Amino acid sequence: MPYHVYTRSGPSAFGVIVETARDAVTKAAQFAEEGHPEVLIKDLLGHILSHAEVAALAEGEDGQGT
């Protein structure tokens, strides 16, 4: 399932659509390392997911060969 990883920095906003939970965790970490204190991850239905939820989904992807 694709995910939308999104952050704001002052008047600017950055967001990307990624294909996997693993990619979402990676991109969220990248945004945080770049100094963005608040990073949101949403599924494409608009539900905001916690980092822990997405990390658990990413671990589950390992068993699916993705």
Side-chain angles (χ1 to χ4, degrees), residues 9 30-38:
S9 181
Q30 180 184 357
F31 280 156
E33 287 174 9
E34 292 173 354
H36 303 284
E38 185 178 348

Side-chain angles (χ1 to χ4, degrees), residues 3 21 25 41 43 47-60:
Y3 299 91
V25 169
I41 301 173
D43 64 19
H47 302 112
I48 296 174
L49 305 171
S50 72
H51 182 79
E53 288 174 309
V54 178
L57 291 168
E59 286 184 25

